[in-house]
Amino acid sequence: SAVISQKPSRDICQRGTSLTIQCQVDSQVTMMFWYRQQPGQSLTLIATANQGSEATYESGFVIDKFPISRPNLTFSTLTVSNMSPEDSSIYLCSAKGTRFPLNYGYTFGSGTRLTVV
Amino acid sequence: DQQVKQNSPSLSVQEGRISILNCDYTNSMFDYFLWYKKYPAEGPTFLISISSIKDKNEDGRFTVFLNKSAKHLSLHIVPSQPGDSAVYFCAASEGAGNKLTFGGGTRVLVKP
């Protein structure tokens, strides 16, 4: 069974709408992150999801566009708001914990492939 | 400003031979380095890591070498297998457990 489950795996959305992506880890983790991989590009960190407080965003990413929640130590959501075609990417959740296998490197979910039309 | 660079976008190697993937970094605060493999439609899979206190780490067919003075690391895959065909990313962080900065990736094709 997957250590990190990400939903949905893919979606096609209309511009101007919003999509919320869920990330569920099967054990408590210390760190959770959200990444974006644009077509043909590398992975870029959007933000660190902090449990019980506001996420820490990287340069170029803002909370109004990418609101993130992390209500507990196993779950986080990323919302892509007011979407445009430029938001078409793969969005990936990542986690690091203290127990194997989550303590062995950083584990990634399978990603959400988003297409905005 | 790309802090982690993989200058070879692609690599083709014969099955059974060695694959060598290279990665350079500019941030001297990076002290933890990782390699990931990524298949299409899947998330990256962790392969191997190394901390800056070491210059080599080995795990089965995978060996990572770190040259701190040159700010360079490499991944050796020996012997290469067709199932190794994927995109490989190197990544770095300031301390294990902190956010990762990824390189651009190298697409490896292992020919039977």
Side-chain angles (χ1 to χ4, degrees):
Chain A
S1 61
V3 176
I4 297 182
S5 300
Q6 210 175 311
K7 293 180 182 179
S9 59
R10 58 176 61 229
D11 209 340
I12 301 173
C13 300
Q14 296 291 323
R15 66 178 69 200
T17 63
S18 298
L19 176 71
T20 295
I21 302 167
Q22 298 181 1
C23 178
Q24 178 71 56
V25 189
D26 64 5
S27 62
Q28 292 185 351
V29 291
T30 51
M31 306 291 287
M32 292 185 77
F33 307 91
W34 287 97
Y35 287 83
R36 179 175 74 180
Q37 185 182 21
Q38 293 178 300
Q41 303 294 314
S42 184
L43 284 77
T44 301
L45 180 65
I46 297 171
T48 302
N50 299 310
Q51 193 266 324
S53 64
E54 194 171 285
T56 304
Y57 289 84
E58 296 300 304
S59 175
F61 298 96
V62 296
I63 187 171
D64 290 346
K65 177 67 176 177
F66 298 102
I68 288 171
S69 78
R70 189 178 171 194
N72 56 51
L73 293 176
T74 64
F75 185 76
S76 178
T77 66
L78 167 74
T79 298
V80 186
S81 302
N82 188 25
M83 288 183 283
S84 66
E86 292 71 35
D87 295 320
S88 298
S89 294
I90 299 173
Y91 292 85
L92 294 144
C93 170
S94 173
K96 185 162 178 65
T98 57
R99 294 184 179 181
F100 185 84
L102 289 160
N103 65 335
Y104 193 56
Y106 297 66
T107 303
F108 282 81
S110 55
T112 296
R113 183 179 293 273
L114 171 62
T115 303
V116 184
V117 297
Chain B
D1 173 32
Q2 249 187 313
Q3 298 187 66
V4 180
K5 291 184 182 180
Q6 294 176 252
N7 291 319
S8 297
S10 63
L11 172 70
S12 181
V13 65
Q14 207 66 34
E15 181 180 5
R17 306 294 290 269
I18 184 171
S19 294
I20 299 176
L21 292 81
N22 294 304
C23 179
D24 297 294
Y25 61 96
T26 57
N27 186 345
S28 58
M29 299 300 293
F30 287 149
D31 58 2
Y32 184 59
F33 305 90
L34 308 89
W35 284 94
Y36 283 85
K37 177 171 71 174
K38 188 179 185 299
Y39 294 119
E42 294 184 13
T45 301
F46 170 73
L47 282 175
I48 192 168
S49 65
I50 188 167
S51 74
S52 59
I53 62 173
K54 293 187 174 182
D55 54 17
K56 177 183 174 181
N57 190 27
E58 192 171 354
D59 185 358
R61 296 186 298 114
F62 303 94
T63 303
V64 57
F65 295 92
L66 175 62
N67 182 334
K68 290 185 289 294
S69 61
K71 294 190 177 68
H72 176 85
L73 64 154
S74 62
L75 174 69
H76 292 205
I77 307 173
V78 183
S80 300
Q81 301 173 352
D84 296 331
S85 297
V87 178
Y88 290 77
F89 292 97
C90 70
S93 69
E94 298 181 28
N98 292 320
K99 63 183 182 182
L100 295 180
T101 300
F102 280 83
T106 297
R107 183 177 301 276
V108 173
L109 175 63
V110 180
K111 298 178 181 178

